[in-house]
């Protein structure tokens, strides 16, 4: 039954990864939180396990989503090269920071963050996307050092939130007039260094704290990782295909609604 649950989570997360470029973490983290709670794990480590396992599975979903978006020319590789070093370093350090935060505070932090991003995307995203498509506003990204620094900030936040960085990378790129499809594709590529560094970080810092839970390496649950990763690899390709069939304004609306629902879920679980 547990394996079936992990496979279902993987199917949903993979589709979200391909569709929104978020690595599936916004689906995986709240669902794993519920599952680990039902499994009777220590309340103060459940959120950390959900975050660490989420990042580990994003390694697989990012590869699948990246391949699908790259085939359609949706990845801006020069931008990826500028962001990647900061993303990796920031996410590894962010895992250490997350390990020092209580599970309850992590829930509230993630909930508030997702609601904020959803609001920003819903109110500003449609106007910016329309401008980029209709008037061909040129893409004016910051300098390489600034992109590197932005990558570091996104990396730290991604570890704390257990996501592939899409919730920050996509708004960051669209702010500089990158159309939604390319922002999603590049975000999918950025999810790979984030996931690798984050998973290693949660394993390392989790082992330092000697997590009392079966089938885990640090803050990464092995069975959950295998079940989710095996299914999400295939469904991420489906999500990526759908992403290129939808209009940018519609895609942004769907993205913001998803983040809003998940954010409310975290706040409800943390406060009640």
């Amino acid at each position: 039954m547990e394996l079936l649950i992990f496979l279902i989570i993987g199917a949903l997360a993979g589709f979200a990864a391909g569709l929104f470029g978020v690595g599936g973490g916004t689906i995986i983290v709240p669902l794993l939180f519920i599952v680990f709670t039902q499994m009777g794990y220590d309340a103060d480590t459940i959120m950390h396990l959900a975050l660490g396992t989420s990042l580990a599975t994003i390694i697989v979903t990012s590869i699948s989503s990246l391949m699908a978006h790259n085939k359609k020319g949706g990845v801006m590789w020069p931008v990826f090269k500028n962001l990647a070093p900061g993303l990796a370093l920031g996410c590894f350090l962010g895992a250490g920071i997350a390990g020092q935060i209580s599970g309850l505070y992590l829930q509230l932090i993630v909930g508030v963050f997702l609601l904020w991003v959803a609001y920003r995307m819903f109110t500003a995203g449609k106007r910016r996307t329309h401008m980029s498509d209709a008037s061909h506003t040129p893409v004016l990204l910051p300098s390489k050092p600034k992109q590197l620094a932005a990558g570091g900030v996104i990396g730290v936040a991604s570890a704390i939130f257990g996501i592939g960085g899409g919730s920050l990378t996509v708004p960051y790129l669209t702010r500089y007039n990158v159309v939604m499809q390319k922002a999603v594709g590049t975000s999918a590529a950025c999810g790979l260094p984030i996931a690798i560094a984050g998973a290693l970080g949660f394993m390392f810092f989790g082992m330092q704290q000697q997590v009392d839970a079966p089938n885990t390496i640090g803050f990464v649950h092995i069975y959950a990782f295998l079940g989710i990763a095996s299914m999400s690899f295939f469904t991420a390709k489906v999500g990526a295909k759908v992403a290129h069939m939808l209009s940018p304004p519609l895609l942004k609306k769907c993205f913001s609604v998803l983040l809003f629902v998940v954010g409310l879920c975290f706040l409800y679980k943390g406060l009640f």
Side-chain angles (χ1 to χ4, degrees):
M1 180 59 70
E2 289 180 7
L3 180 59
L4 178 61
I5 292 174
F6 293 142
L7 289 173
I8 293 174
I9 294 175
L12 295 173
F15 184 79
L19 185 62
F20 302 117
V22 297
T26 51
I27 298 292
I28 296 172
V29 173
L31 292 180
L32 281 182
F33 177 84
I34 296 173
V35 172
F36 290 156
T37 300
Q38 295 300 314
M39 293 171 68
Y41 290 173
D42 180 23
D44 201 43
T45 62
I46 288 176
M47 194 65 183
H48 300 83
L49 281 170
L51 295 174
T53 305
S54 171
L55 285 168
T57 62
I58 290 171
I59 296 175
V60 179
T61 57
S62 292
I63 293 174
S64 177
S65 181
L66 163 61
M67 292 170 59
H69 282 289
N70 189 48
K71 286 182 180 180
K72 296 182 179 293
V75 180
M76 302 171 66
W77 288 110
V79 176
F80 168 79
K81 292 177 181 178
N82 293 335
L83 292 173
L87 291 170
L89 179 59
C91 200
F92 186 85
L93 296 176
I97 296 173
Q100 303 302 315
I101 303 175
S102 72
L104 175 60
Y105 287 143
L106 278 178
Q107 292 176 53
L108 298 178
I109 290 172
V110 172
V112 172
F113 167 75
L114 292 180
L115 289 178
W116 176 79
V117 173
Y119 171 77
R120 295 279 296 178
M121 290 287 286
F122 195 86
T123 57
K126 182 178 179 180
R127 178 178 57 82
R128 288 197 181 109
T129 303
H130 176 75
M131 289 174 60
S132 296
D133 292 343
S135 59
H136 302 286
T137 305
V139 176
L140 300 173
L141 289 167
S143 63
K144 289 184 179 180
K146 289 184 178 180
Q147 290 184 50
L148 180 65
V153 173
I154 293 173
V156 171
S158 297
I160 295 175
F161 304 139
I163 56 179
S167 301
L168 280 174
T169 307
V170 172
Y172 172 75
L173 293 176
T174 55
R175 177 178 182 179
Y176 297 102
N177 301 318
V178 176
V179 296
M180 187 62 176
Q181 274 82 353
K182 286 189 176 295
V184 169
T186 305
S187 173
C190 290
L192 187 56
I194 286 175
I196 294 175
L200 291 175
F202 272 100
M203 286 181 181
F204 175 77
F205 293 109
M207 287 188 290
Q208 305 302 309
Q209 297 188 25
Q210 299 180 338
V211 179
D212 184 20
N215 308 315
T216 60
I217 300 178
F219 287 129
V220 176
H221 192 286
I222 301 303
Y223 289 168
F225 162 72
L226 294 175
I228 295 172
S230 60
M231 181 61 75
S232 61
F233 181 83
F234 299 103
T235 56
K237 295 180 181 179
V238 178
K241 290 181 181 180
V242 174
H244 286 270
M245 295 168 57
L246 298 176
S247 65
L250 177 60
L251 189 55
K252 275 201 169 177
K253 280 187 176 181
C254 293
F255 185 78
S256 61
V257 169
L258 172 68
L259 295 182
F260 181 77
V261 172
V262 175
L264 287 179
C265 176
F266 270 113
L267 289 180
Y268 178 81
K269 287 290 184 180
L271 294 174
F272 301 101

